[in-house]
């Protein structure tokens, strides 16, 4: 990731165990929210990250196939990025 902070998957189609890169310029706590195409909250995960690149694993076994949007927030609740995903 060239940006100072962000989230990147290899592509827009995700399956169980897909890795993604989360990059931040400060260590701290962050929140990922996953919402379905109707914007219903499906999953909310709080996690800690170190400054720089953080490679994390995305689990999808409990999710139905389809279109989702991932919302990435900092510890103050500010939206940093959204990412459209297709989970299969």
């Amino acid at each position: 990731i060239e940006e100072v902070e962000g989230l990147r998957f290899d592509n827009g189609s995700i399956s169980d165990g897909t890795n993604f890169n989360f990059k931040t310029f400060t260590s701290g706590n962050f929140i990922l929210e996953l919402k379905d195409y109707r914007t219903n909250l499906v999953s909310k995960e709080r996690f800690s990250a170190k400054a720089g690149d953080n490679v994390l694993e995305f689990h999808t076994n409990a999710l139905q196939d389809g279109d989702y949007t991932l919302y990435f927030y900092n510890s103050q609740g500010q939206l940093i990025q959204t990412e459209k995903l297709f989970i299969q």
Side-chain angles (χ1 to χ4, degrees):
I1 298 177
E2 292 182 23
E3 296 84 14
V4 175
E5 191 165 62
L7 174 69
R8 178 164 301 160
F9 287 84
D10 287 337
N11 60 51
S13 184
I14 308 301
S15 59
D16 192 57
T18 298
N19 287 331
F20 66 96
N21 185 6
F22 163 71
K23 185 175 182 181
T24 180
F25 60 90
T26 59
S27 297
N29 297 314
F30 298 88
I31 299 169
L32 289 176
E33 288 184 348
L34 185 66
K35 295 183 180 181
D36 64 15
Y37 69 95
R38 294 184 188 128
T39 67
N40 295 317
L41 183 63
V42 175
S43 176
K44 184 174 185 176
E45 181 72 27
R46 297 174 195 273
F47 65 96
S48 297
K50 62 179 175 43
D53 291 307
N54 296 270
V55 176
L56 304 168
E57 197 169 284
F58 198 78
H59 295 282
T60 63
N61 280 341
L63 302 173
Q64 293 182 359
D65 292 356
D67 293 316
Y68 293 86
T69 304
L70 189 65
Y71 297 83
F72 166 44
Y73 298 92
N74 65 17
S75 59
Q76 291 79 35
Q78 297 167 316
L79 181 64
I80 296 171
Q81 182 178 335
T82 62
E83 188 78 26
K84 299 272 185 195
L85 305 171
F86 180 77
I87 294 178
Q88 56 183 6

